[in-house]
Amino acid sequence: MKLAIPSILYKDSYLYAIKEYHQENFLTEKLDYDEIKNNFNEYLKRIEDMKTGENVPPTFSPQSEFWLINEENEYVGTLKIRHVLNNPTLLNVGGHIGYFIRPSFRKFGYGSIILELGLKEAKQIGLEKILITCDETNLASKKIIEKNGGIFESIFHYDNKIPRLRYWISIT
């Protein structure tokens, strides 16, 4: 298993994963299958722009995106590391790290692997303390965060949505 920079090498398995996500009604607004399929290189460019800080929407933060890739060179999941928490939503709800595993690869330990590898990347970026959050009802993510050193800080309630658990992980 490795974290890789998003690449054309993983296009087929990434597109298949989008279909899996959409079957769960997950990321349907953020990952437009046809748009990404037909403009994959542009999609990769937008990911790169987010890393360098170019064309970052005002409510976003510069972020590095990585894909978890297995031994068969298949896309398994996505990890995003926000370089700064520059607005209240990221500070209270989003945190520094967000990750998700494609449905057909869940419950095999890949969530722990992607977060463990992501913490190493966050350290390379220069972060020393990571805020990571999850829905209060997401017991799997809660366990993954705690397994990787997450120290519970608080519960954040917002906009009649599922409350968010807030954890800090020191990576110095």
Side-chain angles (χ1 to χ4, degrees):
M1 298 301 278
K2 66 180 179 182
L3 285 181
I5 302 296
S7 165
I8 193 82
L9 297 172
Y10 314 113
K11 180 179 179 179
D12 291 340
S13 62
Y14 186 75
L15 290 171
Y16 193 82
I18 292 173
K19 288 181 180 181
E20 289 182 33
Y21 292 133
H22 287 188
Q23 287 173 350
E24 291 188 338
N25 270 342
F26 182 64
L27 298 172
T28 54
E29 293 148 11
K30 293 185 179 185
L31 296 176
D32 181 318
Y33 177 83
D34 290 328
E35 175 68 22
I36 293 169
K37 179 182 177 188
N38 295 328
N39 302 291
F40 200 77
N41 287 329
E42 288 176 33
Y43 179 67
L44 294 175
K45 173 75 169 97
R46 285 194 307 269
I47 291 171
E48 181 62 24
D49 284 352
M50 290 295 290
K51 180 179 178 181
T52 62
E54 294 180 42
N55 304 314
V56 176
T59 57
F60 284 70
S61 164
Q63 67 183 17
S64 297
E65 182 169 326
F66 300 92
W67 291 350
L68 184 65
I69 305 300
N70 67 12
E71 293 77 14
E72 289 78 34
N73 260 357
E74 292 177 291
Y75 165 89
V76 174
T78 295
L79 175 106
K80 297 182 182 192
I81 303 171
R82 295 173 194 94
H83 302 179
V84 293
L85 303 180
N86 58 354
N87 65 57
T89 301
L90 291 178
L91 187 58
N92 293 312
V93 180
H96 289 98
I97 290 181
Y99 62 89
F100 44 91
I101 302 297
R102 85 190 245 194
S104 61
F105 285 84
R106 291 184 188 147
K107 298 185 181 179
F108 294 105
Y110 296 123
S112 289
I113 292 169
I114 202 170
L115 181 53
E116 180 182 337
L117 294 172
L119 292 172
K120 291 175 183 173
E121 290 292 338
K123 188 173 185 175
Q124 293 294 319
I125 290 169
L127 299 174
E128 296 176 354
K129 195 172 182 185
I130 300 294
L131 174 66
I132 187 165
T133 70
C134 68
D135 285 351
E136 185 178 45
T137 56
N138 189 340
L139 299 180
S141 200
K142 179 181 183 292
K143 287 179 185 178
I144 289 167
I145 294 166
E146 290 173 353
K147 178 181 177 183
N148 280 278
I151 305 297
F152 177 75
E153 180 195 65
S154 63
I155 298 176
F156 186 80
H157 298 270
Y158 70 107
D159 298 338
N160 295 321
K161 295 183 180 178
I162 297 170
R164 300 289 284 187
L165 302 177
R166 301 177 77 245
Y167 291 86
W168 288 94
I169 300 175
S170 179
I171 56 172
T172 54

